[in-house]
Amino acid sequence: MGVSTIDGTIESAELRRSAAKIRIYKTIVFRLANGETKTIAKPIAHAELAPRLEPGATGRFYLFSSIDHRGIAGVRTSDGQAQFAYPRNNETIGMVLTILAALWVGLSPYFVGDFGIFALIVLILGPIVWLVNRSLRRQAERQFQADNPVGPATAAVAG
Amino acid sequence: MAAQAPAWPFRYNRTAAQWTRWLALAQAALAAGAAAWAFAAPAGLKPGADDPFILLETVQLLFFIAGAIVVARWLYVAGANARAMGATDMMGSPAWAIAWYIVPLANLFMPFVAMRELWRASADPRDWQAASAPAILILWWLCWLASNIAGTVAFRLEWEGDATMLGAVGTAQTISNALFVPAALLFAHIVARVQAMQDGQGPAQLFR
């Protein structure tokens, strides 16, 4: 879990699936300055960032990884364009699971009489998924802002 | 200015790999023996209920605990070595490859994901996400999961303490043991392959 950057050129970006605000790629392959390639398998990106993740795009790419979940949250292209858009789907899923499990555990004594071990596990894991992804998003935002040589105002931040 | 130490220095891990393999093979032999004995045992002796089986289960448990300690050590160092060889953006720290085994629900798939990642990172550290992993990893994980599920069923039935369920307990234990054999053999093979890939790329002075 953490953030990192890649300086290079996108050699290929194979889109696997599009959801509302999310783009899921099969792979994105970067050509680095030293000639090596670096592949990011199954990365996700915010839909607003997708136009900047086309083959030929050159610059600095801001990556995040959370458990077995990787993605690209920001780009600074070599022509001076900057964009940050963090896909918040996992954070939202964690939050929704937490609320649903809390409601289930809290209200089931009044309606069902008991709650199962599954609800308890979700009540434990939901907040972890939520908080880990929230913390990662904030880390990615801080990294992107701090890396900006001109200033935060020039970067379009979304997500 | 003093040179900065690398975040993950490469460490000698071959001895831990050998112990891991030997203990996996010993556990496979014990499980095979237990499964065979369940079929060949004299009438009246029931797995999980009579003294010889309890003794065998105890020996298996002791080997399992020893194996778990050695596997944890090997996994941690192998994960750290993959990072030392240049693999970046791996899942969390090497400790997570161990911790996943005890996280509810996640332990159904994350240990497999971590092992697959370790294999890929050992095969091609610089571009590990492009590397492929062999099907034996899936086969190992399916055998491990099925063995654990059967073992859990046996344990739960035994816990109920219903004497009429002893036959079912024995059957579930035998299935668990029978499935543990390929799981342990495949695991020993995976450890050997990962270690060989890392040995081929680590600092030469460690392997003289």
Side-chain angles (χ1 to χ4, degrees):
Chain A
M1 281 157 273
V3 293
S4 59
T5 57
I6 288 181
D7 293 321
T9 301
I10 294 182
E11 200 163 81
S12 69
E14 198 177 341
L15 188 66
R16 186 165 68 175
R17 198 156 59 87
S18 295
K21 287 184 179 177
I22 302 294
R23 299 291 176 269
I24 303 169
Y25 294 84
K26 190 175 177 189
T27 56
I28 295 181
V29 181
F30 295 91
R31 175 69 62 183
L32 309 181
N34 62 6
E36 289 182 357
T37 58
K38 187 170 178 69
T39 306
I40 306 298
K42 294 187 275 182
I44 69 164
H46 196 286
E48 290 176 13
L49 205 60
R52 301 203 186 276
L53 302 178
E54 297 288 338
T58 300
R60 172 166 290 185
F61 300 86
Y62 296 80
L63 279 62
F64 63 89
S65 80
S66 163
I67 310 180
D68 188 34
H69 176 75
R70 294 175 185 81
I72 300 174
V75 179
R76 282 187 209 287
T77 56
S78 53
D79 58 4
Q81 301 288 314
Q83 187 162 11
F84 183 90
Y86 194 95
R88 296 175 68 160
N89 54 326
N90 281 2
E91 188 181 334
T92 307
I93 289 168
M95 184 177 67
V96 170
L97 282 177
T98 302
I99 292 168
L100 288 178
L103 285 173
W104 179 252
V105 170
L107 297 178
S108 58
Y110 302 103
F111 299 102
V112 191
D114 200 2
F115 56 86
I117 185 75
F118 184 74
L120 197 61
I121 290 172
V122 174
L123 188 60
I124 294 167
L125 294 183
I128 294 173
V129 172
W130 180 12
L131 295 175
V132 162
N133 283 286
R134 182 172 178 273
S135 158
L136 187 62
R137 173 174 56 81
R138 296 178 70 141
Q139 196 182 342
E141 286 169 355
R142 282 197 301 272
Q143 181 212 32
F144 188 78
Q145 297 291 1
D147 198 39
N148 188 348
V150 183
T154 60
V157 177
Chain B
M1 189 190 295
Q4 195 177 0
W8 299 104
F10 196 94
R11 291 162 65 189
Y12 184 84
N13 201 24
R14 195 182 283 175
T15 306
Q18 282 169 347
W19 274 103
T20 300
R21 289 174 56 212
W22 288 336
L23 284 169
L25 294 174
Q27 288 181 77
L30 282 169
W37 196 5
F39 285 112
L45 276 181
K46 294 200 180 300
D50 295 305
D51 284 347
F53 287 108
I54 291 171
L55 179 66
L56 186 56
E57 280 176 17
T58 307
V59 173
Q60 280 184 286
L61 180 65
L62 291 174
F63 268 82
F64 183 80
I65 292 168
I69 292 167
V70 177
V71 166
R73 201 272 186 192
W74 177 79
L75 264 181
Y76 182 85
V77 178
N81 284 349
R83 287 161 176 83
M85 293 187 311
T88 55
D89 296 322
M90 290 178 73
M91 274 192 310
S93 79
W96 273 104
I98 305 153
W100 287 125
Y101 283 89
I102 55 170
V103 178
L105 295 183
N107 61 5
L108 295 175
F109 56 95
M110 287 309 291
F112 163 73
V113 172
M115 184 62 89
R116 187 180 59 185
E117 186 182 271
L118 177 62
W119 182 290
R120 288 174 168 166
S122 304
D124 184 2
R126 310 297 301 181
D127 194 13
W128 66 269
Q129 292 185 57
S132 60
I136 56 162
L137 286 169
I138 296 172
L139 197 57
W140 156 67
W141 189 245
L142 290 177
C143 289
W144 166 262
L145 268 188
S147 169
N148 271 279
I149 290 167
T152 304
V153 168
F155 178 78
R156 293 292 292 269
L157 289 173
E158 204 170 2
W159 191 259
E160 298 288 327
D162 185 348
T164 60
M165 297 301 288
L166 276 179
V169 171
T171 305
Q173 276 181 346
T174 305
I175 292 170
S176 174
N177 279 321
L179 287 165
F180 190 85
V181 176
L185 293 175
L186 286 168
F187 184 73
H189 177 70
I190 291 165
V191 169
R193 290 290 309 277
V194 168
Q195 189 59 40
M197 288 189 284
Q198 293 202 348
D199 285 355
Q201 299 182 61
Q205 67 271 19
L206 284 177
F207 303 107
R208 281 181 189 147

